[in-house]
Amino acid sequence: KPVANALVWQDMRVADYVAELAHHGGPDRFRARTGLPLSTYFSGLKIRWLLEHVPRVREQAEAGEVLFGNVDSFLVWNLTGGPQGGAHVTDVTNASRTQLMNLEKLSWDKELLNEFAIPEAILPRICSSSEVYAVATLSAVKDVAIAGILGDQQAALVGQTCFNPGEAKNTYGTGCFLLMNTGERVVRSNHGLLTTVSYKFGDQPAKYALEGSIAITGALVQWIRDNLGLIQTSSEIETLARAVEDNGGVYFVPAFSGLYAPYWNPNARGLIMGLTRYAKKGHLARAVLEATAFQTREVLQAMEKDSGITLDVLRTDGGMVENELLMQFQADILNRNVVRPVIKETTSLGVAYAAGLAVSFFKDTDDLRASWALDRTWTPQLEPAKRDEMYRLWKKAVSRSLDWLE
């Protein structure tokens, strides 16, 4: 039985903890061990919040009467019996995003647990991303092996078969997440990115990645739909944006919960710049879509600086890749090709690949790579001078949003 409602990744109620810890050592005080800056994004501080704010949970945790898990652990535990012997496990990718796992040792970091005041006994056992963890006991799937666990974005990286260092994908959903495989090398970011585990297949060495996390992309389309009522369904944003030739000088910085990579500025807030009486609904719709592409360019440039690798092509997936106007502008503002695979829901595909490897349904990663298929490619069409000017104005708008809260 859950002791509290889940705290999702965009939940900011731990902001005071972030400020408190950053005051004594700066926002990067744990980055060397975890690959992550202090942020409301990660689940470690959310565990602390639950322990300190939900009645009796701290006492239950100390007595060994409660367990913590991200969604993966919760699902596996319930599928395998729950209180009647359920497996309490997670994989290295999900564990790496708690800010409690040592990135190189792939184990819970005792000093961090002490710093966050979290008892290790409540945490799941850290496993690889591809192995048979247990078999299901739930009647509908009884005796089916549970053999693959991956974090959302790491699963998409696997689903896009980005198995070589330097290969990258961008997932367009509620937020945007650009990941580049760095192989067995842990690359420390100096440009505002996260260092994370990308996957670990069985007994093979863990592979790592750089990640650029963008909080608000598809969620901005939802906001236009639900809060302003400019569209009835999310898919209508493309039609509305095509009603005008360009953005009319309008720029939308969607810092609803601060800005994530590469700024990590929790005090930034959203703004719309460049409005005139000429501006119409279509211009605002364009600005909404273009905000996703501009933010992607920011994290891609940071990734190239950190890795020393220039991307020739960007693989894309997620719900927003159906928006062809966005995909064309993404190619335009990046000045490089953007490709979309036949199977766009690559997160589900990736974890299926991991499970298939564990039970020998697939032979190896070459077998997986052979199944990847291209649907469409977008090539840059924007004039260089126009590209540079639009990006300059975007950066100017972002500068106005930073540290809005004091």
Side-chain angles (χ1 to χ4, degrees), residues 16 62 73 80 115 138 151 160 205 236 300 307 314 347 372 405:
D16 289 344
E62 299 292 351
S73 300
T80 58
E115 188 75 43
L138 197 68
Q160 289 274 30
E236 292 175 9
L300 186 143
S307 67
L314 180 66
T347 294
W372 189 89
L405 297 183

Side-chain angles (χ1 to χ4, degrees), residues 2 26 67 76 84 162 190 210 240 257 263 267 270 284 333 339 393:
L67 301 174
V76 173
Q84 284 75 48
C162 295
N190 296 311
L210 284 169
L240 182 57
S257 52
Y263 301 99
N267 293 326
L284 191 57
I333 206 66
V339 302
L393 289 171

Side-chain angles (χ1 to χ4, degrees), residues 163-197:
F163 299 127
N164 294 327
E167 293 181 329
K169 66 86 199 175
N170 198 28
T171 299
Y172 297 75
T174 303
C176 249
F177 303 89
L178 178 60
L179 267 72
M180 175 189 284
N181 187 329
T182 62
E184 296 177 29
R185 185 167 61 108
V186 178
V187 177
R188 307 294 180 183
S189 176
N190 296 311
H191 298 91
L193 302 181
L194 309 179
T195 304
T196 189
V197 182

